Amino acid sequence: MYHDVFSDSPAPFIPRSSAMYHISKQSFIQHLAIIKKSTLNVLTVSEYLDNKEKNLISITFDDGWEGAFNIAMPILKDFGYRCTYFITKDFIGREGFIDEKGIMMASEAGMEIGVHGTTHRMLSNCSNDEIIWEFTNCKQYLESLTGQKVVSASMPGGDWNEIIASCAKKAGLKLLCSSKLGLNVPSTNLFKLKRIPIKGSTSDSDLERYCQHNISKELIKSALYQLPKRILGMKRYSHFRRWVLGENNNTTTNEIFKP
């Protein structure tokens, strides 16, 4: 689970809570080299429907950041890989995010385009009708833009529950990626697919372990974060996390993602 790739450094307007998930161009090149050396087969998320062998990996990008397209896509093509871009509709064309032309170019290049919600709000705070709208509005827009069927989605903020999964099915989606850390097996719920988050601090040795299906260290850390999430709920936890990271919720830099 990637977010953005930058040439020199993340844009100054991006808050730390987001920028920590953005990586450098050189790191991304090295990551793909490690994946290539591992002999893992790289598929898009929707291709997972028809192929659930163990030796597979999907490269995903959330939100629709500009660098994920303009910088990462040429590198992916050089390695002969395709990825899945999960797009937030209301972010398209905003500062730092890809525009319609970039999305169409990615689709024409064979990249998968998926849904990341219409507004990026936490869906657990929404009614069933609002959740379905978040999915269908984005889905229909992307299908109209690319001329391709959209069947996959990922959760804004990793906010997942059974109701959200049910609404995703009603919206006509076939797969839903969570932000829950883990590896997927043939029996994994297709509406609760697990991913491994990549951060700026992710080392080459970390990625080598991931390619060997070794995420034990990350699972321990993830378990420690689950308690405050359950106690506070995703919206309050998001505010708390930003406070811990020294972000002032009243400043414009934090208006990219509203919890």
Side-chain angles (χ1 to χ4, degrees):
M1 179 176 65
Y2 288 91
H3 286 76
D4 196 18
V5 177
F6 55 81
S7 293
D8 301 311
S9 61
F13 69 87
I14 301 174
R16 184 183 172 194
S17 56
S18 297
M20 64 192 298
Y21 289 99
H22 298 198
I23 71 167
S24 70
K25 176 181 178 180
Q26 189 55 46
S27 292
F28 188 61
I29 293 172
Q30 186 61 23
H31 287 186
L32 295 191
I34 292 170
I35 292 171
K36 178 72 77 173
K37 185 178 179 181
S38 74
T39 71
L40 288 167
N41 296 315
V42 178
L43 301 180
T44 63
V45 170
S46 63
E47 289 174 325
Y48 183 73
L49 279 170
D50 301 316
N51 194 335
K52 297 184 177 67
E53 297 177 7
K54 291 183 178 180
N55 200 36
L56 301 176
I57 186 173
S58 289
I59 298 170
T60 67
F61 286 89
D62 280 4
D63 303 325
W65 292 95
E66 189 174 27
F69 289 80
N70 296 343
I71 298 174
M73 190 167 70
I75 299 171
L76 284 161
K77 292 168 70 175
D78 286 344
F79 276 87
Y81 292 153
R82 293 182 297 131
C83 72
T84 299
Y85 290 110
F86 292 118
I87 308 295
T88 299
K89 178 181 178 294
D90 286 359
F91 290 173
I92 297 172
R94 284 176 50 180
E95 182 182 13
F97 294 91
I98 197 64
D99 57 17
E100 290 182 341
K101 182 179 178 181
I103 295 171
M104 290 188 289
M105 288 178 62
S107 179
E108 291 168 358
M111 307 296 166
E112 180 183 6
I113 305 299
V115 169
H116 196 57
T118 295
T119 66
H120 202 278
R121 57 180 163 169
M122 295 292 181
L123 299 184
S124 60
N125 296 311
C126 299
S127 68
N128 287 20
D129 287 344
E130 288 174 325
I131 297 171
I132 294 172
W133 177 84
E134 283 281 341
F135 286 129
T136 56
N137 189 46
C138 183
K139 180 179 186 293
Q140 291 169 1
Y141 172 84
L142 293 173
E143 288 178 337
S144 176
L145 182 65
T146 65
Q148 300 292 324
K149 192 72 174 175
V150 173
V151 300
S152 63
S154 69
M155 300 304 310
D159 189 18
W160 187 96
N161 59 37
E162 293 287 353
I163 293 175
I164 295 171
S166 176
C167 289
K169 294 178 184 179
K170 292 178 182 177
L173 295 164
K174 296 183 178 180
L175 305 103
L176 184 62
C177 291
S178 71
S179 296
K180 182 176 175 58
L181 177 72
L183 305 173
N184 298 299
V185 297
S187 60
T188 301
N189 182 351
L190 292 178
F191 285 84
K192 195 179 182 181
L193 292 173
K194 302 171 184 177
R195 292 188 289 175
I196 302 173
I198 304 299
K199 301 179 180 180
S201 59
T202 300
S203 67
D204 291 349
S205 60
D206 288 333
L207 203 77
E208 288 172 353
R209 284 193 298 103
Y210 302 163
C211 290
Q212 296 166 3
H213 303 156
N214 179 357
I215 57 170
S216 55
K217 183 168 70 173
E218 286 73 21
L219 285 170
I220 293 172
K221 289 182 179 180
S222 178
L224 295 175
Y225 291 135
Q226 295 310 307
L227 182 59
K229 287 182 180 179
R230 286 196 295 267
I231 293 174
L232 298 173
M234 284 301 296
K235 185 172 183 177
R236 289 191 180 91
Y237 173 78
S238 181
H239 282 298
F240 174 72
R241 178 172 173 268
R242 292 179 181 186
W243 176 77
V244 170
L245 291 172
E247 296 177 13
N248 183 345
N249 289 327
N250 293 320
T251 64
T252 57
T253 58
N254 292 294
E255 290 302 308
I256 296 177
F257 303 107
K258 296 181 180 180

